[in-house]
Each structure stands twice: as C-alpha cells, then as structure tokens.
Amino acid sequence: MKKTILFVSLGLVVIIIFVTALFFVWSLPYKNHISPNVWIGPVDVGGLDPETARETVQTQIDSLVTNGIPVQINGVSKPLALATLVSSDLNEEVTFDLDIAMQKAQTVPLISWRLWNKKIIPLSVSVAKDNLKKNISDLFPNAEMPVQDARFLIVPTAVNNEWSVQVIEDRAGNELNWNPFFQTLETQLMNLDDSEIVLKVYNKAPSVTKQMAEQQIDQVKEVLKNEKIQISYFDSRKQPRTFELTKWKLSKMLVPTQSGKVGIDEVQLNLFLDDFAKTFEQPAQDARFVFENGRVIEFTESKSGV
C-alpha cells in the first residue's frame, strides 16, 4: 500500500514537472510579445511584439480615416470624409484611443487556455459630431428642410395705437435622424468597419400651426395697447434709472405658442437684453495716483465693475 502511494506521488510530481516544462517551452516565443489570441477590435495582435501590433492596428485606422465611410440618404450614396484639410493641416473628425488598447493588450496574462479563448479589447473612439453633421449637410444640401412654426407679422397702422397682426403660415419640414446614425457610426468605427450607413430622413410637423396663431391675435393687440413698458433699476452709484421697451421692440418679440398664450421669442429677447445691459455696464477701475514733483496731486478711487 505504501509503495502504491509512493508511486502515485512520484507520478504526480513527474507530471507537474513535465507540464511546467512544457508550458515554459511553449511560452518562450511570447516573451516580450502579446499573448496569443488577443485582439484589438477586429485586429488579431496575438503573438506580436508591441511595436508591430501598434503599427498593424494604426495602419487599418489610417486606411479607414483616409478613405472615409459611404453615407446614403434617400437612396443616394456619397463618401463621408473622416478627415478634412484646413490650411494645410489635416483635421481628423474621429479619434481612436489606441494607447489604452495597447496597454490592456500587453497586460493580458499568458495562459494556455488563451489558445482557445479569444480576448477582444475594444477600440475606443470619439467623434466630432458637429463637424460631421456639417460635412454631411454639405454633401446633401437639400436633404433637410427646417420646420417652420406659424409666426406673427405685426406692423403699426395709420390709426392711432392700433396694430395690424397677420399670421405667416407654418410649414412642415424634413430632418435627419442623427442619433441612430451616430450610434451605428461609432460601432462601425470601433470595429474598423467601412460599410455604408443609411441616414434616415423623417418628416417633422410644426409645433405651432396657423390656426393656433390666429386664435392668439387678440392677445397680441391687447398687449400692444400699452404705450410703453418701463424697466427700473439702480446704477452703480445707487441712482434710479429707467429703460424703455417700446411697442415696436415688443412687437418683434411676440410669438404664438402651443399653450394658447402669446410668448416671447428668446432670440429677440436676448438681443434686447444685450442692448439693455450696455446702458449700465461699467468696467472695473483700479485706484489711480497722479504724481508731480514727488507729490500726489490727484487721486481716483477704485470702482467695481458691473
């Protein structure tokens, strides 16, 4: 019985030594190389040294960025450039984070079962969406037609304190469905896939119709009955001041809304507020001394900016 146990123990020791030696011999070619069956995105970099692995992936990235990706809108396909030349500088609209992918690839442990189990390291990518939107709009200038809400046309009449209020008709528009497009684009870029992407167009109805606007005409006339609107405030010297919002300026701000109540156009309001701010804005001023013959002859106090 003891001999049997001894033989079994010796056999296990021999097997362990043999397996260890076999693994050592198998792993020798991978010294200072990436473990086998490791992929960065769609590129197999297993068994390559880091420099060769980087060059292999970078070559495919450069090819994709250089050639671009075809985009189809309404059955028409055109190549979308992923890099543009501006004043002899090449601006890339997509950025691949190859450094992080390489770091992860080099830290994958060398184990024998890696031969049968693929380790895929995703290739992170960031997209300059605004730039690509502009590039696509330049490629397909007629693909989109902005929706137009109904709006007021307000002009004074010859009758005192009365205004003519007409409605400019609304118009449906076409808009590109950007979110699914960019989701597909980012997925394809991560896989270095240059397949064509279909960018769908959908119809968009106006949020404020002519009928809605016409029901708010009486509200506009009522608002414009006021002679003027005064805004009161205190300046930096604590002196009361006023700023007038004339009916003419107010008439340029009024817009119909979905709620059924006349609203204020944000763009026009901001323009008004910018002009209003200029009337009391004041830059900060440091204290100032004026010397003459070694004596102070003038002193100006510091003032806070507004």
Side-chain angles (χ1 to χ4, degrees), residues 152-155 157 160-167 213-227 247 250-251 254 262:
F152 295 126
L153 176 61
I154 306 173
V155 294
T157 65
N160 186 34
N161 204 30
E162 289 191 11
W163 294 75
S164 169
V165 183
Q166 299 178 350
V167 173
E214 288 175 340
Q215 294 173 351
Q216 299 171 43
I217 289 178
D218 289 341
Q219 296 180 40
V220 174
K221 293 181 178 180
E222 189 66 28
V223 169
L224 293 175
K225 282 183 178 179
N226 296 312
E227 284 298 324
K247 286 193 290 185
L250 179 60
S251 70
L254 299 177
V262 174

Side-chain angles (χ1 to χ4, degrees), residues 66-81:
T66 301
N67 297 325
I69 289 180
V71 174
Q72 181 193 135
I73 298 179
N74 292 330
V76 178
S77 181
K78 295 182 180 181
L80 172 64

Side-chain angles (χ1 to χ4, degrees), residues 15 39 60 96 141 164 169 188 196-197 264 267 281 291 294:
I15 291 173
W39 297 63
Q60 294 204 30
F96 294 87
S164 169
E169 197 162 358
Q188 288 193 194
E196 180 180 82
I197 303 177
I264 297 292
V267 174
E281 280 184 346
F291 292 89

